[in-house]
Amino acid sequence: MKTYETSDLAIAAYLMLNDYKLVDASRLQSGRFSFIFEDPAGTAKKKAVEFLASDCCKFDTHIKNLKKIIF
């Protein structure tokens, strides 16, 4: 089975929004996240790059900025 792995929470959420199947999620000893998706067609990396130009990315950036203001 081909898979795609990311440590980025927002990219993982975007992949799930686009119907990629999550097969494993964990927190590594380093504290980083690990999300592994089924990627039989090898398209997840392209979809992750697409995220950068999406409204979802803009939304995620605004959430992070708001959290910085509050905390």
Side-chain angles (χ1 to χ4, degrees):
M1 172 180 62
K2 288 176 80 175
T3 61
Y4 177 79
E5 183 175 4
T6 183
S7 62
D8 189 285
L9 180 63
I11 289 174
Y14 189 72
L15 290 174
M16 292 178 75
L17 184 67
N18 284 275
D19 300 322
Y20 286 82
K21 184 179 177 187
L22 181 67
V23 293
D24 188 47
S26 61
R27 191 169 197 155
L28 305 175
Q29 219 172 10
S30 65
R32 292 181 62 117
F33 298 121
S34 173
F35 302 99
I36 301 174
F37 292 87
E38 284 184 4
D39 187 20
T43 57
K45 184 175 181 178
K46 182 178 179 183
K47 190 58 76 172
V49 171
E50 178 184 291
F51 167 77
L52 297 174
S54 73
D55 285 338
C56 292
C57 183
K58 294 174 190 172
F59 177 81
D60 183 59
T61 300
H62 289 307
I63 291 290
K64 288 176 183 173
N65 288 336
L66 288 167
K67 285 171 80 174
K68 287 178 187 176
I69 290 169
I70 293 171
F71 298 107

